[in-house]
mmCIF file of all heavy atoms in Angstrom:
data_model
loop_
_atom_site.group_PDB
_atom_site.id
_atom_site.type_symbol
_atom_site.label_atom_id
_atom_site.label_comp_id
_atom_site.label_asym_id
_atom_site.label_seq_id
_atom_site.Cartn_x
_atom_site.Cartn_y
_atom_site.Cartn_z
ATOM 1 N N SER A 246 77.683 94.402 79.987
ATOM 2 C CA SER A 246 77.489 93.056 79.456
ATOM 3 C C SER A 246 77.725 91.963 80.493
ATOM 4 O O SER A 246 77.645 90.790 80.169
ATOM 5 C CB SER A 246 78.452 92.828 78.283
ATOM 6 O OG SER A 246 79.779 92.714 78.749
ATOM 7 N N VAL A 247 78.039 92.323 81.718
ATOM 8 C CA VAL A 247 78.321 91.306 82.719
ATOM 9 C C VAL A 247 77.342 91.429 83.872
ATOM 10 O O VAL A 247 76.610 92.395 83.988
ATOM 11 C CB VAL A 247 79.773 91.418 83.236
ATOM 12 C CG1 VAL A 247 80.751 91.213 82.125
ATOM 13 C CG2 VAL A 247 79.996 92.754 83.917
ATOM 14 N N GLY A 248 77.367 90.435 84.727
ATOM 15 C CA GLY A 248 76.487 90.456 85.890
ATOM 16 C C GLY A 248 75.493 89.315 85.879
ATOM 17 O O GLY A 248 74.820 89.055 86.865
ATOM 18 N N TYR A 249 75.376 88.627 84.752
ATOM 19 C CA TYR A 249 74.482 87.472 84.657
ATOM 20 C C TYR A 249 75.324 86.223 84.409
ATOM 21 O O TYR A 249 76.318 86.253 83.693
ATOM 22 C CB TYR A 249 73.472 87.659 83.514
ATOM 23 C CG TYR A 249 72.587 88.855 83.699
ATOM 24 C CD1 TYR A 249 72.905 90.063 83.083
ATOM 25 C CD2 TYR A 249 71.450 88.789 84.495
ATOM 26 C CE1 TYR A 249 72.102 91.180 83.257
ATOM 27 C CE2 TYR A 249 70.637 89.908 84.674
ATOM 28 C CZ TYR A 249 70.968 91.090 84.053
ATOM 29 O OH TYR A 249 70.183 92.184 84.230
ATOM 30 N N ASP A 250 74.903 85.135 84.997
ATOM 31 C CA ASP A 250 75.702 83.923 84.934
ATOM 32 C C ASP A 250 75.934 83.455 83.508
ATOM 33 O O ASP A 250 76.968 82.917 83.171
ATOM 34 C CB ASP A 250 75.016 82.821 85.751
ATOM 35 C CG ASP A 250 75.861 81.552 85.811
ATOM 36 O OD1 ASP A 250 76.999 81.651 86.284
ATOM 37 O OD2 ASP A 250 75.370 80.495 85.380
ATOM 38 N N LEU A 251 74.957 83.690 82.627
ATOM 39 C CA LEU A 251 75.079 83.203 81.256
ATOM 40 C C LEU A 251 75.725 84.218 80.337
ATOM 41 O O LEU A 251 75.960 83.938 79.169
ATOM 42 C CB LEU A 251 73.692 82.818 80.714
ATOM 43 C CG LEU A 251 73.018 81.647 81.415
ATOM 44 C CD1 LEU A 251 71.644 81.387 80.811
ATOM 45 C CD2 LEU A 251 73.858 80.388 81.327
ATOM 46 N N ASP A 252 75.994 85.419 80.830
ATOM 47 C CA ASP A 252 76.566 86.464 80.003
ATOM 48 C C ASP A 252 77.932 86.878 80.534
ATOM 49 O O ASP A 252 78.216 88.049 80.729
ATOM 50 C CB ASP A 252 75.643 87.685 79.960
ATOM 51 C CG ASP A 252 74.344 87.388 79.228
ATOM 52 O OD1 ASP A 252 74.317 86.391 78.515
ATOM 53 O OD2 ASP A 252 73.401 88.154 79.379
ATOM 54 N N ARG A 253 78.783 85.902 80.763
ATOM 55 C CA ARG A 253 80.084 86.199 81.328
ATOM 56 C C ARG A 253 81.086 86.461 80.206
ATOM 57 O O ARG A 253 80.981 85.909 79.118
ATOM 58 C CB ARG A 253 80.544 85.051 82.220
ATOM 59 C CG ARG A 253 79.593 84.787 83.390
ATOM 60 C CD ARG A 253 80.320 84.070 84.502
ATOM 61 N NE ARG A 253 80.937 82.831 84.050
ATOM 62 C CZ ARG A 253 80.495 81.622 84.398
ATOM 63 N NH1 ARG A 253 79.436 81.500 85.154
ATOM 64 N NH2 ARG A 253 81.114 80.539 83.967
ATOM 65 N N PRO A 254 82.089 87.293 80.474
ATOM 66 C CA PRO A 254 83.077 87.609 79.433
ATOM 67 C C PRO A 254 83.847 86.372 78.992
ATOM 68 O O PRO A 254 84.151 85.490 79.787
ATOM 69 C CB PRO A 254 83.995 88.611 80.136
ATOM 70 C CG PRO A 254 83.194 89.152 81.269
ATOM 71 C CD PRO A 254 82.289 88.052 81.699
ATOM 72 N N VAL A 262 85.374 81.090 79.172
ATOM 73 C CA VAL A 262 84.374 81.999 79.736
ATOM 74 C C VAL A 262 84.726 82.242 81.197
ATOM 75 O O VAL A 262 84.801 81.302 81.990
ATOM 76 C CB VAL A 262 82.959 81.411 79.599
ATOM 77 C CG1 VAL A 262 81.940 82.371 80.200
ATOM 78 C CG2 VAL A 262 82.641 81.158 78.127
ATOM 79 N N ALA A 371 80.161 73.962 82.462
ATOM 80 C CA ALA A 371 79.031 74.135 81.542
ATOM 81 C C ALA A 371 79.351 75.143 80.438
ATOM 82 O O ALA A 371 78.783 75.080 79.353
ATOM 83 C CB ALA A 371 77.798 74.594 82.317
ATOM 84 N N HIS A 372 80.261 76.081 80.698
ATOM 85 C CA HIS A 372 80.549 77.138 79.732
ATOM 86 C C HIS A 372 81.838 76.892 78.959
ATOM 87 O O HIS A 372 82.167 77.660 78.069
ATOM 88 C CB HIS A 372 80.666 78.488 80.448
ATOM 89 C CG HIS A 372 79.419 78.891 81.162
ATOM 90 N ND1 HIS A 372 78.322 79.416 80.523
ATOM 91 C CD2 HIS A 372 79.098 78.841 82.472
ATOM 92 C CE1 HIS A 372 77.376 79.677 81.408
ATOM 93 N NE2 HIS A 372 77.828 79.337 82.594
ATOM 94 N N ASP A 425 78.781 90.765 75.663
ATOM 95 C CA ASP A 425 78.480 89.542 76.407
ATOM 96 C C ASP A 425 78.635 88.323 75.496
ATOM 97 O O ASP A 425 78.611 88.416 74.273
ATOM 98 C CB ASP A 425 77.073 89.598 77.007
ATOM 99 C CG ASP A 425 75.976 89.552 75.959
ATOM 100 O OD1 ASP A 425 75.814 88.497 75.327
ATOM 101 O OD2 ASP A 425 75.282 90.566 75.774
ATOM 102 N N SER A 426 78.824 87.179 76.113
ATOM 103 C CA SER A 426 79.154 85.966 75.364
ATOM 104 C C SER A 426 77.935 85.156 74.950
ATOM 105 O O SER A 426 78.081 84.145 74.272
ATOM 106 C CB SER A 426 80.075 85.074 76.210
ATOM 107 O OG SER A 426 79.429 84.702 77.420
ATOM 108 N N SER A 427 76.742 85.576 75.316
ATOM 109 C CA SER A 427 75.572 84.734 75.077
ATOM 110 C C SER A 427 75.188 84.644 73.604
ATOM 111 O O SER A 427 74.585 83.669 73.178
ATOM 112 C CB SER A 427 74.373 85.264 75.877
ATOM 113 O OG SER A 427 74.049 86.590 75.474
ATOM 114 N N GLY A 428 75.534 85.654 72.802
ATOM 115 C CA GLY A 428 75.097 85.649 71.406
ATOM 116 C C GLY A 428 76.177 85.303 70.410
ATOM 117 O O GLY A 428 76.016 85.528 69.216
#
Side-chain angles (χ1 to χ4, degrees):
S246 71
V247 299
Y249 299 96
D250 184 58
L251 295 179
D252 293 343
R253 300 202 304 251
V262 180
H372 299 282
D425 68 69
S426 60
S427 61

